[in-house]
Amino acid sequence: MDFQPSGLEIAIALIVTTIAFAVGYYISRRRAIPVEIKNHDLENEVNNLKTAVQNSESRFHQVASSISDAIYVARISKKGELKFVYLSPNIEPITGYNPDFFMQSPDFGRVYVHPEDRHIIQSLVHHLGEGKDDEVDYRWVHGRKGVIWLRNSGRVVQDDHSSNITIYGLISDVTERKRIEEDLNSQKRLFENLLVVAQATTGHSTMKDTLRSILDIIMMLIDVPASSRSSLFVFDDKGVMASTLLSQGEHVYQRKRQFIAEVIDKGLVGWVVKNRQKALLFDTSADDRWLPLPEDSNSAQSALSVPIMSGASLLAVLTMTHPDVGYFTMDHAYMLESASNQIALSVRNAQMHNIETQQADRQQTLYDTLRAISSHHDPKEVAKIAANIVSERTHWPAVEILLPDDSRERFIVAAATGIGATNKGFAITLDKGIVGRALRLDETQYVPDVKQDPDYVMADTNIITELVVPLVRSERMLGALNLLSDEWNAFDQDDILLAESLAEAMALALDNAGLHKDLLSAKEAAESANMAKSEFISVVSHELKNPMTSIRGYADLLSSGVVGEMSPQQENFIQTIGTNVGRMQTLVSDLTDVSRIESGHVHMDFDAVPLVDVVGDVVRTMRAQMESKNQDLVITTDDNLPLVWGDRNRLIQIMTNLLSNAYKYTPENGRVEICLRNQLHANNGANESVVLVSVIDDGIGISEEDQKKMFEKFYRAPDREARSSPGTGLGLNITKNLVELQNGRIWFESEFRKGTTFHFTIPIAEDE
Ligand code: ADP
């Protein structure tokens, strides 16, 4: 730091220089006077001059004793010897010795210069001897005050012809100034150190890096050996220790956590935590606060520990040790205390960063795992992918996933990574091991030291920590997530939380995989049963057709009277046979249709068909029946109805089914209307030209409950009125399928006991 000379200094320098020349003049004049006196006039002048000189001499003494600094005049001989010729009286308050002492002492009191600074005085004398002005500071041992600082500045005046050199000098006590200077310097050093701490500790992304840089930089600034036991313990908001860093790599990891626990509980750190103030241990062996540990070498003879506060709460404790007794000073303590704000800031930053990145990391791991496993339906595949991704995304040294075998009594390691990879295929039963206990209790099991756990089944001697989370869904045990480590107490609360979230994701994926498998096999079973049924129906109906045709043929033959007259009763019987065979034929043909539809073997013969003709054909076959029930049949149709694109015979089948239902489920004297319209129907956002056929009756209607099941196979409304007409419950199902096979739609509206309307559409045939 630069010091500008103060006003006082400038004044002193001026005075010294002025005095120096005044004294020089006086001395030279004194020597010249005897030579110059020649006559009486001169005598007067000489007397005048003498008086003037005396006056100026006394003025000089006055000035010399009035300033606080001591003034001296000295001569250096040719041989380089120094001799004081004048010392102002105030040399005594400054140095503790009077002018005579300096004048008479052969070494001019140089023995009182601090031994380490004697070379400075030597170099001053040397410089002056060479005719160079010089100014030096040195320590002086004052009789009463002890060590003080003196400043000695000397100016050289050379004689005209003699080789003697005269020195005019000033000795001042600069102890106070030195102290201020030293303070300023140490402030400056402190400031610089803090700057170094700030630079070194900010900008680290992880807590570990931040703590490491804090500890490293403080150890360097305080100058403690790298091997010393120094530490930084960080506490969370609840005062629970959250992170630690020990400078020494010597502690065996397994003992580390235990060691930390002990130090915090009973040791020096514990004392600082409790008292919230710094502790300076001059000699650790004589201080109760120091907790000697078995593996400690004697490297920590003195220690310094300071609390790092963040507001009113304790954030961390920083501890330094040194192999020498009494190494640490109040300066060190002051330095640590001054740096503590910066340390607190850096730790807080790292904590925030830690929380943010940890949460983001955890979410990312969870998300990645879920995404990777959710599309797989094989439990083993799910386990393998999950284990790999989890061990990639975390620091966990071994990830195992166990799945139940077919008996569900044993769980097998289906996937394993890291140091547990060799365990793959290993089987456990529920009554054994920590995994068995987790599955039995349906609870996470965290065991920081497996050797202390009576349930532990030794599989690998390297394993020390085990964390098991059962994979459960709706009370079903789907497996277990098992994390292992070869370090003691390797997992913390965050690890357990993440493991539990991951276990939930895995259980979900495994459950889905299981459901998918069940669904798949159920679907396969249903499909093959359906195929078998369709095949059976088609074989049986085929086999029934021929005998029924022949029964009908013979019945017709008998009723025609060709083979002889029949009594009215016989004729009645034959008619019953005929009706029943007819019903059986309908049933057989319906069943054949259903099985064909289901097996996808319906043959369609598409053509442009005039629906009016189809309706006409059907009405012709039905009219007699309807008239016998005295039902009115009305047909309304748009003019110029376009042709539809369909299978004529299937369209006849559709119309027949709907008209015969209208006939069956409408009482005598009822009314049935068939309505054909040309319409535009929305289909997948586009308008499509269709012919809409509606069959409207005022019959028994369908209850709301029954309406829902109308198109199901074999469904007949339980309504007694409906059941009084014969039927199979297949007609509407076949009809719906046939409409849809011709790209149409079918629906109905009905009101119980009021009537029913069935609508269906068939797309029109495009113009060629
Ligand atoms: P089926 O007529 O052989 O019983 P369908 O599949 O043709 O079989 O009809 C299923 C059921 O729908 C019938 O049993 C009847 O209860 C009801 N149903 C069908 N059409 C009508 C209608 N027009 N009016 C009242 N109920 C009807």
Side-chain angles (χ1 to χ4, degrees):
M1 198 172 276
D2 274 330
F3 284 98
Q4 295 295 324
S6 66
L8 179 65
E9 269 182 311
I10 295 169
I12 290 171
L14 278 173
I15 292 168
V16 167
T17 324
T18 318
I19 291 169
F21 286 105
V23 172
Y25 173 74
Y26 157 73
I27 290 166
S28 57
R29 285 302 290 260
R30 251 211 323 211
R31 265 195 279 114
I33 286 164
V35 185
E36 297 293 323
I37 300 169
K38 281 188 180 152
N39 53 41
H40 181 72
D41 288 345
L42 277 176
E43 221 167 281
N44 283 339
E45 202 183 323
V46 167
N47 285 338
N48 287 343
L49 265 173
K50 263 186 187 167
T51 325
V53 168
Q54 269 164 9
N55 285 344
S56 97
E57 205 169 352
S58 75
R59 253 202 338 270
F60 166 76
H61 283 280
Q62 253 175 10
V63 171
S65 50
S66 71
I67 59 172
S68 59
D69 302 318
I71 290 170
Y72 67 85
V73 181
R75 289 231 172 73
I76 293 183
S77 70
K78 238 185 191 169
K79 291 179 196 154
E81 285 165 347
L82 185 135
K83 191 175 183 319
F84 283 114
V85 292
Y86 173 78
L87 267 153
S88 65
N90 53 2
I91 190 74
E92 191 172 355
I94 293 175
T95 63
Y97 302 94
N98 61 25
D100 290 346
F101 167 79
F102 288 97
M103 309 259 236
Q104 284 152 22
S105 156
D107 52 13
F108 311 107
R110 261 183 258 169
V111 287
Y112 295 102
V113 174
H114 193 286
E116 285 172 21
D117 293 352
R118 283 185 193 147
H119 66 281
I120 299 175
I121 287 293
Q122 254 158 26
S123 87
L124 171 76
V125 173
H126 181 75
H127 279 150
L128 297 174
E130 282 185 338
K132 292 180 204 150
D133 293 351
D134 199 6
E135 179 177 277
V136 293
D137 291 346
Y138 52 93
R139 281 165 293 173
W140 176 266
V141 186
H142 190 286
R144 274 177 295 105
K145 295 185 195 160
V147 176
I148 59 163
W149 278 93
L150 295 183
R151 174 164 296 169
N152 190 333
S153 41
R155 288 172 201 279
V156 180
V157 176
Q158 286 204 318
D159 285 1
D160 301 340
H161 26 261
S162 94
S163 49
N164 275 357
I165 294 173
T166 309
I167 314 292
Y168 302 97
L170 204 65
I171 293 173
S172 23
D173 180 350
V174 290
T175 311
E176 183 60 15
R177 182 186 307 186
K178 279 279 176 196
R179 198 187 58 73
I180 292 169
E181 226 174 83
E182 186 46 44
D183 274 2
L184 272 169
N185 274 338
S186 71
Q187 289 281 355
K188 187 182 159 212
R189 270 200 308 279
L190 183 66
F191 178 73
E192 281 165 356
N193 285 346
L194 292 184
L195 215 62
V196 173
V197 173
Q199 277 164 356
T201 57
T202 47
H204 291 281
S205 49
T206 67
M207 179 60 109
K208 206 166 184 176
D209 284 351
T210 306
L211 298 189
R212 167 125 318 279
S213 74
I214 292 172
L215 207 58
D216 283 353
I217 199 76
I218 297 290
M219 285 172 77
M220 192 197 82
L221 293 177
I222 299 251
D223 196 18
V224 298
S227 60
S228 67
R229 191 174 108 187
S230 299
S231 64
L232 188 56
F233 294 166
V234 180
F235 301 89
D236 68 12
D237 294 345
K238 293 170 210 92
V240 178
M241 201 184 58
S243 319
T244 54
L245 194 81
L246 305 175
S247 68
Q248 224 176 1
E250 285 167 24
H251 295 284
V252 185
Y253 190 87
Q254 279 89 313
R255 286 277 299 134
K256 193 169 116 179
R257 284 185 186 232
Q258 221 162 333
F259 152 76
I260 291 167
E262 278 175 51
V263 168
I264 296 227
D265 190 31
K266 303 175 201 143
L268 176 62
V269 177
W271 188 90
V272 175
V273 169
K274 263 175 234 122
N275 294 280
R276 305 273 157 114
Q277 63 184 49
K278 68 172 177 288
L280 211 164
L281 275 57
F282 185 81
D283 181 357
T284 52
S285 62
D287 202 307
D288 291 349
R289 293 174 290 187
W290 187 253
L291 184 74
L293 290 170
E295 62 274 276
D296 259 357
S297 54
N298 278 338
S299 63
Q301 295 292 322
S302 55
L304 172 62
S305 188
V306 291
I308 309 287
M309 305 297 291
S310 171
S313 58
L314 179 80
L315 186 64
V317 173
L318 175 64
T319 307
M320 300 276 127
T321 66
H322 197 276
D324 296 343
V325 170
Y327 175 75
F328 296 103
T329 61
M330 281 313 282
D331 273 356
H332 290 136
Y334 182 54
M335 154 74 203
L336 287 198
E337 280 176 330
S338 311
S340 76
N341 272 347
Q342 181 56 49
I343 294 173
L345 200 69
S346 300
V347 171
R348 271 265 180 264
N349 275 345
Q351 274 178 336
M352 296 303 291
H353 192 262
N354 231 19
I355 291 167
E356 275 167 26
T357 50
Q358 245 179 25
Q359 275 174 353
D361 270 5
R362 202 181 304 159
Q363 268 164 13
Q364 191 64 39
T365 307
L366 206 61
Y367 172 74
D368 288 350
T369 311
L370 249 177
R371 205 184 48 177
I373 58 180
S374 60
S375 55
H376 291 273
H377 300 306
D378 174 18
K380 280 195 186 126
E381 191 70 7
V382 169
K384 200 175 100 192
I385 293 171
N388 282 338
I389 194 149
V390 169
S391 75
E392 247 171 52
R393 301 296 314 266
T394 61
H395 60 273
W396 297 335
V399 179
E400 283 183 9
I401 293 171
L402 293 100
L403 296 177
D405 68 359
D406 290 338
S407 71
R408 306 195 76 82
E409 276 162 17
R410 293 187 332 148
F411 282 74
I412 318 282
V413 178
T417 66
I419 56 165
T422 48
N423 290 349
K424 194 155 178 250
F426 191 77
I428 62 122
T429 46
L430 285 189
D431 57 336
K432 281 210 195 85
I434 299 165
V435 176
R437 190 171 72 210
L439 289 167
R440 237 177 19 249
L441 301 177
D442 181 11
E443 257 173 26
T444 299
Q445 299 294 311
Y446 177 55
V447 182
D449 186 351
V450 287
K451 292 189 186 74
Q452 311 292 324
D453 193 303
D455 282 344
Y456 180 62
V457 185
M458 173 95 67
D460 182 343
T461 45
N462 290 325
I463 299 306
I464 297 167
T465 304
E466 186 162 359
L467 169 61
V468 191
V469 189
L471 309 178
V472 197
R473 262 306 277 165
S474 332
E475 296 182 0
R476 274 172 305 124
M477 278 297 157
L478 302 170
L481 169 65
N482 191 19
L483 307 179
L484 304 165
S485 172
D486 54 355
E487 291 179 351
W488 183 79
N489 197 10
F491 305 118
D492 60 18
Q493 204 51 39
D494 284 341
D495 290 317
I496 297 175
L497 274 179
L498 178 59
E500 286 178 340
S501 310
L502 284 167
E504 250 172 67
M506 287 176 201
L508 185 72
L510 287 173
D511 198 19
N512 279 344
L515 279 181
H516 185 79
K517 209 170 137 204
D518 292 351
L519 269 179
L520 223 60
S521 48
K523 195 175 160 223
E524 276 165 15
E527 272 170 4
S528 66
N530 221 21
M531 286 299 283
K533 191 190 74 192
S534 298
E535 229 165 273
F536 173 77
I537 289 173
S538 84
V539 170
V540 170
S541 48
H542 187 75
E543 291 301 313
L544 281 175
K545 256 184 196 161
N546 292 339
M548 277 193 308
T549 318
S550 83
I551 293 171
R552 187 157 206 166
Y554 283 110
D556 286 350
L557 210 61
L558 284 173
S559 65
S560 69
V562 183
V563 286
E565 273 300 298
M566 274 193 296
S567 67
Q569 197 180 19
Q570 283 173 327
E571 219 163 276
N572 199 11
F573 285 170
I574 289 295
Q575 230 174 19
T576 311
I577 291 175
T579 327
N580 281 307
V581 169
R583 280 170 64 183
M584 278 175 79
Q585 275 181 323
T586 315
L587 176 62
V588 167
S589 102
D590 281 358
L591 281 174
T592 314
D593 280 344
V594 167
S595 79
R596 276 198 194 131
I597 288 166
E598 283 183 355
S599 61
H601 291 141
V602 190
H603 177 70
M604 303 293 285
D605 225 348
F606 278 96
D607 204 350
V609 183
L611 261 183
V612 186
D613 290 2
V614 169
V615 171
D617 285 357
V618 175
V619 166
R620 251 191 305 284
T621 58
M622 294 284 302
R623 196 176 288 277
Q625 279 176 301
M626 296 183 77
E627 277 172 1
S628 71
K629 259 178 116 176
N630 206 20
Q631 289 173 333
D632 242 0
L633 178 62
V634 183
I635 300 166
T636 53
T637 165
D638 280 354
D639 293 337
N640 302 324
L641 209 59
L643 302 178
V644 295
W645 188 248
D647 178 320
R648 186 183 176 101
N649 288 329
R650 297 298 179 188
L651 289 170
I652 288 177
Q653 199 179 346
I654 292 166
M655 267 321 292
T656 309
N657 270 339
L658 294 180
L659 192 58
S660 72
N661 275 354
Y663 152 76
K664 275 198 290 186
Y665 302 112
T666 302
E668 288 187 0
N669 306 320
R671 181 180 187 274
V672 177
E673 183 185 342
I674 301 171
C675 182
L676 293 118
R677 304 226 175 287
N678 183 10
Q679 281 214 332
L680 279 180
H681 254 229
N683 183 14
N684 282 338
N687 277 335
E688 183 183 49
S689 265
V690 294
V691 171
L692 169 73
V693 183
S694 309
V695 180
I696 309 151
D697 67 49
D698 58 357
I700 60 170
I702 307 163
S703 73
E704 262 183 50
E705 181 67 28
D706 295 333
Q707 287 184 17
K708 294 173 202 148
K709 301 177 183 165
M710 223 24 47
F711 292 112
E712 281 176 18
K713 249 187 300 180
F714 299 107
Y715 185 78
R716 305 202 68 213
D719 176 14
R720 201 185 303 156
E721 293 283 324
R723 287 292 170 102
S724 65
S725 303
T728 60
L730 289 171
L732 281 180
N733 180 269
I734 294 168
T735 303
K736 182 175 191 299
N737 278 295
L738 292 179
V739 169
E740 285 168 0
L741 280 168
Q742 294 172 88
N743 305 311
R745 291 199 303 129
I746 183 165
W747 69 101
F748 67 92
E749 300 139 34
S750 183
E751 208 176 326
F752 196 54
R753 297 290 178 259
K754 290 264 171 67
T756 305
T757 300
F758 274 90
H759 307 276
F760 73 93
T761 63
I762 301 289
I764 64 158
E766 306 264 319
D767 292 339
E768 308 243 316

